[in-house]
mmCIF file of all heavy atoms in Angstrom:
data_model
loop_
_atom_site.group_PDB
_atom_site.id
_atom_site.type_symbol
_atom_site.label_atom_id
_atom_site.label_comp_id
_atom_site.label_asym_id
_atom_site.label_seq_id
_atom_site.Cartn_x
_atom_site.Cartn_y
_atom_site.Cartn_z
ATOM 1 N N ALA A 165 109.424 86.204 123.653
ATOM 2 C CA ALA A 165 109.386 85.263 124.781
ATOM 3 C C ALA A 165 108.138 85.492 125.639
ATOM 4 O O ALA A 165 107.577 84.548 126.192
ATOM 5 C CB ALA A 165 110.650 85.406 125.629
ATOM 6 N N ARG A 166 107.686 86.720 125.728
ATOM 7 C CA ARG A 166 106.488 87.014 126.536
ATOM 8 C C ARG A 166 105.247 86.345 125.916
ATOM 9 O O ARG A 166 104.441 85.757 126.622
ATOM 10 C CB ARG A 166 106.261 88.519 126.653
ATOM 11 C CG ARG A 166 107.419 89.257 127.311
ATOM 12 C CD ARG A 166 107.018 90.675 127.689
ATOM 13 N NE ARG A 166 105.949 90.660 128.666
ATOM 14 C CZ ARG A 166 106.124 90.470 129.981
ATOM 15 N NH1 ARG A 166 107.347 90.289 130.458
ATOM 16 N NH2 ARG A 166 105.109 90.451 130.802
ATOM 17 N N ALA A 167 105.120 86.441 124.603
ATOM 18 C CA ALA A 167 103.982 85.782 123.930
ATOM 19 C C ALA A 167 104.091 84.269 124.072
ATOM 20 O O ALA A 167 103.077 83.575 124.229
ATOM 21 C CB ALA A 167 103.948 86.189 122.456
ATOM 22 N N VAL A 168 105.324 83.762 124.061
ATOM 23 C CA VAL A 168 105.546 82.316 124.199
ATOM 24 C C VAL A 168 105.113 81.844 125.594
ATOM 25 O O VAL A 168 104.413 80.833 125.731
ATOM 26 C CB VAL A 168 107.035 81.983 123.909
ATOM 27 C CG1 VAL A 168 107.380 80.565 124.333
ATOM 28 C CG2 VAL A 168 107.337 82.192 122.434
ATOM 29 N N VAL A 169 105.484 82.588 126.614
ATOM 30 C CA VAL A 169 105.092 82.227 127.989
ATOM 31 C C VAL A 169 103.565 82.180 128.104
ATOM 32 O O VAL A 169 102.994 81.211 128.622
ATOM 33 C CB VAL A 169 105.674 83.239 129.010
ATOM 34 C CG1 VAL A 169 104.984 83.109 130.370
ATOM 35 C CG2 VAL A 169 107.169 83.049 129.158
ATOM 36 N N VAL A 170 102.905 83.202 127.592
ATOM 37 C CA VAL A 170 101.438 83.254 127.702
ATOM 38 C C VAL A 170 100.811 82.103 126.909
ATOM 39 O O VAL A 170 99.864 81.456 127.372
ATOM 40 C CB VAL A 170 100.908 84.633 127.236
ATOM 41 C CG1 VAL A 170 99.391 84.654 127.221
ATOM 42 C CG2 VAL A 170 101.455 85.742 128.138
ATOM 43 N N GLY A 171 101.367 81.806 125.746
ATOM 44 C CA GLY A 171 100.850 80.701 124.936
ATOM 45 C C GLY A 171 101.006 79.362 125.641
ATOM 46 O O GLY A 171 100.080 78.549 125.664
ATOM 47 N N LEU A 172 102.174 79.144 126.237
ATOM 48 C CA LEU A 172 102.417 77.870 126.932
ATOM 49 C C LEU A 172 101.482 77.726 128.130
ATOM 50 O O LEU A 172 100.958 76.640 128.399
ATOM 51 C CB LEU A 172 103.877 77.781 127.379
ATOM 52 C CG LEU A 172 104.897 77.684 126.238
ATOM 53 C CD1 LEU A 172 106.319 77.832 126.769
ATOM 54 C CD2 LEU A 172 104.754 76.357 125.487
ATOM 55 N N ALA A 173 101.239 78.825 128.820
ATOM 56 C CA ALA A 173 100.306 78.776 129.957
ATOM 57 C C ALA A 173 98.898 78.467 129.445
ATOM 58 O O ALA A 173 98.164 77.688 130.047
ATOM 59 C CB ALA A 173 100.341 80.109 130.704
ATOM 60 N N GLN A 174 98.523 79.044 128.291
ATOM 61 C CA GLN A 174 97.195 78.743 127.714
ATOM 62 C C GLN A 174 97.086 77.267 127.328
ATOM 63 O O GLN A 174 96.021 76.671 127.422
ATOM 64 C CB GLN A 174 96.927 79.620 126.489
ATOM 65 C CG GLN A 174 96.582 81.056 126.862
ATOM 66 C CD GLN A 174 96.174 81.896 125.658
ATOM 67 O OE1 GLN A 174 96.067 81.406 124.531
ATOM 68 N NE2 GLN A 174 95.950 83.186 125.886
ATOM 69 N N LEU A 175 98.210 76.675 126.894
ATOM 70 C CA LEU A 175 98.199 75.245 126.546
ATOM 71 C C LEU A 175 98.025 74.370 127.780
ATOM 72 O O LEU A 175 97.632 73.226 127.675
ATOM 73 C CB LEU A 175 99.523 74.854 125.884
ATOM 74 C CG LEU A 175 99.703 75.032 124.399
ATOM 75 C CD1 LEU A 175 101.065 74.472 123.982
ATOM 76 C CD2 LEU A 175 98.610 74.336 123.600
ATOM 77 N N GLY A 176 98.395 74.909 128.941
ATOM 78 C CA GLY A 176 98.234 74.141 130.184
ATOM 79 C C GLY A 176 99.541 73.841 130.900
ATOM 80 O O GLY A 176 99.522 73.177 131.943
ATOM 81 N N CYS A 177 100.676 74.308 130.354
ATOM 82 C CA CYS A 177 101.960 74.047 131.014
ATOM 83 C C CYS A 177 101.965 74.723 132.386
ATOM 84 O O CYS A 177 101.630 75.905 132.491
ATOM 85 C CB CYS A 177 103.125 74.590 130.183
ATOM 86 S SG CYS A 177 103.242 73.864 128.552
ATOM 87 N N SER A 178 102.346 73.978 133.392
ATOM 88 C CA SER A 178 102.266 74.524 134.749
ATOM 89 C C SER A 178 103.626 74.953 135.288
ATOM 90 O O SER A 178 103.731 75.516 136.373
ATOM 91 C CB SER A 178 101.650 73.495 135.693
ATOM 92 O OG SER A 178 102.407 72.303 135.602
ATOM 93 N N LYS A 179 104.682 74.677 134.504
ATOM 94 C CA LYS A 179 106.036 75.039 134.933
ATOM 95 C C LYS A 179 106.815 75.441 133.692
ATOM 96 O O LYS A 179 106.978 74.605 132.788
ATOM 97 C CB LYS A 179 106.665 73.810 135.600
ATOM 98 C CG LYS A 179 107.872 74.079 136.401
ATOM 99 C CD LYS A 179 108.127 72.887 137.331
ATOM 100 C CE LYS A 179 109.418 73.081 138.092
ATOM 101 N NZ LYS A 179 110.459 72.181 137.633
ATOM 102 N N ILE A 180 107.229 76.676 133.626
ATOM 103 C CA ILE A 180 107.916 77.175 132.430
ATOM 104 C C ILE A 180 109.269 77.748 132.859
ATOM 105 O O ILE A 180 109.321 78.649 133.703
ATOM 106 C CB ILE A 180 107.062 78.268 131.727
ATOM 107 C CG1 ILE A 180 105.681 77.703 131.336
ATOM 108 C CG2 ILE A 180 107.794 78.824 130.511
ATOM 109 C CD1 ILE A 180 104.669 78.754 130.890
ATOM 110 N N GLU A 181 110.344 77.197 132.291
ATOM 111 C CA GLU A 181 111.699 77.632 132.658
ATOM 112 C C GLU A 181 112.198 78.597 131.581
ATOM 113 O O GLU A 181 112.157 78.267 130.400
ATOM 114 C CB GLU A 181 112.663 76.438 132.719
ATOM 115 C CG GLU A 181 112.114 75.189 133.374
ATOM 116 C CD GLU A 181 112.130 75.252 134.895
ATOM 117 O OE1 GLU A 181 112.466 76.310 135.456
ATOM 118 O OE2 GLU A 181 111.793 74.224 135.517
ATOM 119 N N VAL A 182 112.651 79.764 132.009
ATOM 120 C CA VAL A 182 113.097 80.772 131.048
ATOM 121 C C VAL A 182 114.566 81.110 131.322
ATOM 122 O O VAL A 182 114.937 81.372 132.464
ATOM 123 C CB VAL A 182 112.238 82.050 131.163
ATOM 124 C CG1 VAL A 182 112.614 83.039 130.077
ATOM 125 C CG2 VAL A 182 110.757 81.706 131.076
ATOM 126 N N VAL A 183 115.369 81.090 130.254
ATOM 127 C CA VAL A 183 116.811 81.286 130.391
ATOM 128 C C VAL A 183 117.234 82.564 129.665
ATOM 129 O O VAL A 183 116.870 82.768 128.502
ATOM 130 C CB VAL A 183 117.581 80.070 129.801
ATOM 131 C CG1 VAL A 183 119.081 80.266 129.901
ATOM 132 C CG2 VAL A 183 117.155 78.785 130.503
ATOM 133 N N GLY A 184 117.982 83.415 130.379
ATOM 134 C CA GLY A 184 118.475 84.657 129.772
ATOM 135 C C GLY A 184 119.925 84.885 130.137
ATOM 136 O O GLY A 184 120.470 84.219 131.024
ATOM 137 N N ARG A 185 120.550 85.841 129.446
ATOM 138 C CA ARG A 185 121.992 86.047 129.669
ATOM 139 C C ARG A 185 122.272 87.247 130.571
ATOM 140 O O ARG A 185 123.422 87.495 130.908
ATOM 141 C CB ARG A 185 122.702 86.226 128.329
ATOM 142 C CG ARG A 185 122.222 87.424 127.537
ATOM 143 C CD ARG A 185 122.995 87.566 126.237
ATOM 144 N NE ARG A 185 122.462 88.656 125.439
ATOM 145 C CZ ARG A 185 122.978 89.062 124.302
ATOM 146 N NH1 ARG A 185 124.040 88.456 123.821
ATOM 147 N NH2 ARG A 185 122.429 90.058 123.639
ATOM 148 N N ASN A 186 121.224 87.989 130.925
ATOM 149 C CA ASN A 186 121.432 89.200 131.719
ATOM 150 C C ASN A 186 120.614 89.107 133.018
ATOM 151 O O ASN A 186 119.378 89.063 132.966
ATOM 152 C CB ASN A 186 120.995 90.401 130.862
ATOM 153 C CG ASN A 186 121.155 91.715 131.591
ATOM 154 O OD1 ASN A 186 120.679 91.881 132.716
ATOM 155 N ND2 ASN A 186 121.811 92.665 130.951
ATOM 156 N N ILE A 187 121.307 89.048 134.150
ATOM 157 C CA ILE A 187 120.645 88.772 135.431
ATOM 158 C C ILE A 187 119.621 89.862 135.781
ATOM 159 O O ILE A 187 118.495 89.563 136.219
ATOM 160 C CB ILE A 187 121.696 88.642 136.565
ATOM 161 C CG1 ILE A 187 122.639 87.475 136.272
ATOM 162 C CG2 ILE A 187 121.025 88.448 137.933
ATOM 163 C CD1 ILE A 187 121.968 86.107 136.218
ATOM 164 N N ALA A 188 119.960 91.118 135.557
ATOM 165 C CA ALA A 188 119.034 92.211 135.897
ATOM 166 C C ALA A 188 117.767 92.109 135.041
ATOM 167 O O ALA A 188 116.640 92.255 135.543
ATOM 168 C CB ALA A 188 119.717 93.559 135.687
ATOM 169 N N LYS A 189 117.935 91.809 133.753
ATOM 170 C CA LYS A 189 116.767 91.677 132.863
ATOM 171 C C LYS A 189 115.935 90.444 133.241
ATOM 172 O O LYS A 189 114.715 90.453 133.132
ATOM 173 C CB LYS A 189 117.215 91.573 131.399
ATOM 174 C CG LYS A 189 117.670 92.902 130.807
ATOM 175 C CD LYS A 189 117.984 92.717 129.325
ATOM 176 C CE LYS A 189 118.580 93.957 128.722
ATOM 177 N NZ LYS A 189 118.973 93.759 127.325
ATOM 178 N N LEU A 190 116.622 89.378 133.686
ATOM 179 C CA LEU A 190 115.905 88.167 134.103
ATOM 180 C C LEU A 190 115.008 88.465 135.301
ATOM 181 O O LEU A 190 113.858 88.031 135.355
ATOM 182 C CB LEU A 190 116.904 87.083 134.514
ATOM 183 C CG LEU A 190 117.411 86.138 133.447
ATOM 184 C CD1 LEU A 190 118.496 85.239 134.023
ATOM 185 C CD2 LEU A 190 116.292 85.289 132.862
ATOM 186 N N GLU A 191 115.561 89.214 136.239
ATOM 187 C CA GLU A 191 114.799 89.560 137.442
ATOM 188 C C GLU A 191 113.595 90.424 137.057
ATOM 189 O O GLU A 191 112.466 90.198 137.529
ATOM 190 C CB GLU A 191 115.740 90.308 138.410
ATOM 191 C CG GLU A 191 115.177 90.518 139.793
ATOM 192 C CD GLU A 191 114.521 89.272 140.389
ATOM 193 O OE1 GLU A 191 115.042 88.141 140.259
ATOM 194 O OE2 GLU A 191 113.436 89.442 140.962
ATOM 195 N N ALA A 192 113.807 91.391 136.169
ATOM 196 C CA ALA A 192 112.702 92.258 135.715
ATOM 197 C C ALA A 192 111.642 91.433 134.979
ATOM 198 O O ALA A 192 110.433 91.658 135.132
ATOM 199 C CB ALA A 192 113.254 93.357 134.804
ATOM 200 N N PHE A 193 112.096 90.461 134.192
ATOM 201 C CA PHE A 193 111.177 89.586 133.456
ATOM 202 C C PHE A 193 110.297 88.829 134.451
ATOM 203 O O PHE A 193 109.077 88.757 134.297
ATOM 204 C CB PHE A 193 111.989 88.610 132.592
ATOM 205 C CG PHE A 193 111.170 87.746 131.670
ATOM 206 C CD1 PHE A 193 110.784 88.195 130.419
ATOM 207 C CD2 PHE A 193 110.792 86.463 132.055
ATOM 208 C CE1 PHE A 193 110.034 87.390 129.560
ATOM 209 C CE2 PHE A 193 110.040 85.657 131.204
ATOM 210 C CZ PHE A 193 109.663 86.130 129.955
ATOM 211 N N HIS A 194 110.919 88.297 135.495
ATOM 212 C CA HIS A 194 110.155 87.535 136.492
ATOM 213 C C HIS A 194 109.165 88.446 137.207
ATOM 214 O O HIS A 194 107.986 88.106 137.377
ATOM 215 C CB HIS A 194 111.110 86.870 137.491
ATOM 216 C CG HIS A 194 110.429 85.833 138.320
ATOM 217 N ND1 HIS A 194 110.372 85.901 139.685
ATOM 218 C CD2 HIS A 194 109.746 84.718 137.970
ATOM 219 C CE1 HIS A 194 109.685 84.861 140.141
ATOM 220 N NE2 HIS A 194 109.297 84.135 139.122
ATOM 221 N N GLN A 195 109.632 89.617 137.583
ATOM 222 C CA GLN A 195 108.774 90.583 138.291
ATOM 223 C C GLN A 195 107.565 90.987 137.453
ATOM 224 O O GLN A 195 106.500 91.275 137.974
ATOM 225 C CB GLN A 195 109.572 91.861 138.624
ATOM 226 C CG GLN A 195 110.511 91.716 139.802
ATOM 227 C CD GLN A 195 109.767 91.356 141.081
ATOM 228 O OE1 GLN A 195 108.704 91.878 141.361
ATOM 229 N NE2 GLN A 195 110.318 90.420 141.843
ATOM 230 N N SER A 196 107.755 91.012 136.133
ATOM 231 C CA SER A 196 106.700 91.514 135.243
ATOM 232 C C SER A 196 105.443 90.635 135.269
ATOM 233 O O SER A 196 104.383 91.066 134.836
ATOM 234 C CB SER A 196 107.227 91.625 133.809
ATOM 235 O OG SER A 196 107.411 90.332 133.274
ATOM 236 N N TRP A 197 105.556 89.425 135.785
ATOM 237 C CA TRP A 197 104.389 88.537 135.848
ATOM 238 C C TRP A 197 103.694 88.618 137.204
ATOM 239 O O TRP A 197 102.722 87.893 137.449
ATOM 240 C CB TRP A 197 104.802 87.071 135.579
ATOM 241 C CG TRP A 197 105.535 86.905 134.291
ATOM 242 C CD1 TRP A 197 106.876 86.749 134.136
ATOM 243 C CD2 TRP A 197 104.981 86.908 132.969
ATOM 244 N NE1 TRP A 197 107.192 86.658 132.805
ATOM 245 C CE2 TRP A 197 106.044 86.750 132.063
ATOM 246 C CE3 TRP A 197 103.677 87.037 132.455
ATOM 247 C CZ2 TRP A 197 105.857 86.718 130.689
ATOM 248 C CZ3 TRP A 197 103.501 86.994 131.086
ATOM 249 C CH2 TRP A 197 104.578 86.842 130.221
ATOM 250 N N GLN A 198 104.211 89.510 138.046
ATOM 251 C CA GLN A 198 103.764 89.571 139.433
ATOM 252 C C GLN A 198 102.248 89.712 139.580
ATOM 253 O O GLN A 198 101.650 89.095 140.441
ATOM 254 C CB GLN A 198 104.446 90.749 140.112
ATOM 255 C CG GLN A 198 104.554 90.604 141.600
ATOM 256 C CD GLN A 198 105.425 91.699 142.181
ATOM 257 O OE1 GLN A 198 105.680 92.711 141.525
ATOM 258 N NE2 GLN A 198 105.863 91.508 143.393
ATOM 259 N N LYS A 199 101.658 90.564 138.721
ATOM 260 C CA LYS A 199 100.225 90.836 138.881
ATOM 261 C C LYS A 199 99.350 89.761 138.227
ATOM 262 O O LYS A 199 98.137 89.880 138.202
ATOM 263 C CB LYS A 199 99.895 92.207 138.293
ATOM 264 C CG LYS A 199 100.415 93.338 139.161
ATOM 265 C CD LYS A 199 99.782 94.658 138.765
ATOM 266 C CE LYS A 199 100.481 95.812 139.440
ATOM 267 N NZ LYS A 199 101.090 96.737 138.495
#
Side-chain angles (χ1 to χ4, degrees):
R166 300 193 63 81
V168 167
V169 165
V170 175
L172 293 171
Q174 285 186 4
L175 274 184
C177 300
S178 55
K179 195 163 176 251
I180 302 169
E181 318 281 6
V182 186
V183 179
R185 61 178 176 176
N186 179 308
I187 299 297
K189 285 185 186 176
L190 271 174
E191 190 46 42
F193 186 85
H194 194 239
Q195 283 300 319
S196 71
W197 305 103
Q198 205 171 17
K199 287 195 191 118

